[in-house]
């Protein structure tokens, strides 16, 4: 019941934010022949988990797993895992703002992990697993901060939300074997026992926002 209440709260907050800026599209914009796309970057623990969840949202075109927020250029996964590079495991989401808004992505972000855990998600411990939003524009920053404040003030969580909100620097794409990880390694123990339960809960929460066939 508590998780359902949190979900309802998140929906209300997202609708409030949409009402404030319904005609604006935050983030980097790329214009193709018939489509405008924007990008958003989130860190919510292991990128294998968050990638699998965001891939299923209608309007999401591409999800890339990678690293951001650190000081070491071109880090390897092994380096990031030491916790000494300053990087977080993140996903870069390319989306169609005509089909899904930045506010809805924020909603999905906070539902995809526990934002009250500092530098960890479950058994994944370290600064590389921190909860973080890297914004691409002042508008993304404003919306993320507003959403975070209202979510905290709502009392949806018993503990403070520790999500970091920071400017986007360089995104470093992770090695090829990390990309589309769950879909290619679904039988692996981590996928079965960690990712799959999270993904099932995510699907229930966003049942009306998933790509067709899911």
């Amino acid at each position: 019941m508590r998780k359902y209440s949190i979900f309802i709260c998140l929906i209300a907050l997202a609708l409030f934010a949409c009402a404030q800026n319904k005609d604006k599209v935050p983030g980097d914009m790329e214009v193709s022949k018939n489509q405008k796309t924007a990008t958003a970057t989130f860190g919510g623990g292991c990128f294998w988990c968050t990638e699998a969840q965001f891939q299923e949202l209608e309007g999401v075109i591409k999800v890339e797993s990678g690293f951001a927020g650190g000081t070491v250029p071109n880090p390897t996964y092994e380096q990031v895992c030491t916790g000494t590079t300053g990087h977080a495991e993140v996903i870069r989401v390319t989306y169609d703002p005509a089909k899904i808004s930045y506010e809805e992505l924020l909603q999905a972000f906070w539902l995809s992990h526990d934002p009250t855990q500092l530098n960890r998600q479950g058994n994944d411990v370290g600064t590389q697993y921190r909860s973080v939003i890297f914004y691409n524009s002042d508008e993304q920053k404003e919306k993320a901060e507003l959403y975070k404040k209202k979510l905290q003030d709502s009392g949806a969580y018993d503990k403070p939300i520790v999500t970091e909100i920071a400017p986007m620097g360089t995104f470093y794409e992770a090695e090829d074997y990390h990309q589309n990880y769950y879909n290619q390694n679904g039988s692996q123990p981590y996928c079965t026992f960690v990712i799959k339960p999270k993904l099932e809960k995510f699907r229930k929460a966003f049942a009306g926002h998933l790509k067709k066939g899911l």
Side-chain angles (χ1 to χ4, degrees):
M1 179 62 70
R2 180 171 180 77
K3 290 183 178 179
Y4 179 78
S5 299
I6 292 174
F7 176 53
I8 296 300
C9 175
L10 285 164
I11 291 178
L13 290 171
L15 291 176
F16 172 84
C18 287
Q20 302 303 305
N21 296 287
K22 62 181 180 180
D23 296 322
K24 297 180 180 179
V25 179
D28 296 335
M29 296 299 298
E30 300 171 2
V31 181
S32 61
K33 290 183 179 179
N34 300 305
Q35 183 181 52
K36 291 182 178 180
T37 66
T39 60
T41 306
F42 304 115
C46 175
F47 47 31
W48 296 342
C49 295
T50 49
E51 177 196 63
Q53 294 173 86
F54 277 79
Q55 281 179 327
E56 301 205 344
L57 292 174
E58 179 65 32
V60 169
I61 300 167
K62 180 172 60 175
V63 183
E64 301 163 277
S65 291
F67 315 109
T71 58
V72 177
N74 299 306
T76 64
Y77 178 67
E78 287 73 20
Q79 288 177 310
V80 173
C81 283
T82 67
T84 61
T85 69
H87 289 287
E89 290 193 12
V90 299
I91 54 170
R92 181 168 63 182
V93 181
T94 301
Y95 66 100
D96 179 356
K99 295 181 179 180
I100 188 169
S101 67
Y102 184 67
E103 291 85 359
E104 288 171 315
L105 292 176
L106 287 174
Q107 178 185 340
F109 164 72
W110 266 298
L111 277 174
S112 69
H113 72 299
D114 183 353
T116 68
Q117 292 191 8
L118 182 63
N119 297 330
R120 70 177 299 165
Q121 284 297 305
N123 293 324
D124 295 324
V125 181
T127 57
Q128 66 270 31
Y129 299 114
R130 64 187 182 272
S131 176
V132 57
I133 298 170
F134 289 108
Y135 57 84
N136 296 313
S137 67
D138 289 340
E139 190 173 351
Q140 280 193 350
K141 176 185 179 182
E142 178 183 346
K143 290 184 176 183
E145 290 178 341
L146 175 64
Y147 206 140
K148 177 182 175 181
K149 182 179 186 303
K150 289 190 170 293
L151 184 58
Q152 185 68 72
D153 293 346
S154 73
Y157 296 98
D158 296 330
K159 299 177 182 179
I161 295 173
V162 296
T163 303
E164 174 189 354
I165 299 175
M168 184 64 207
T170 303
F171 172 84
Y172 297 101
E173 187 173 353
E175 293 86 345
D176 288 345
Y177 72 91
H178 292 295
Q179 309 303 325
N180 198 31
Y181 190 86
Y182 178 76
N183 291 326
Q184 296 188 27
N185 302 275
S187 61
Q188 295 286 344
Y190 189 89
C191 293
T192 300
F193 298 109
V194 179
I195 301 179
K196 186 176 180 180
K198 289 185 177 182
L199 186 57
E200 290 176 346
K201 292 179 181 178
F202 188 82
R203 286 171 175 170
K204 289 180 180 179
F206 282 88
H209 301 274
L210 301 179
K211 293 174 180 175
K212 293 181 180 179
L214 296 176

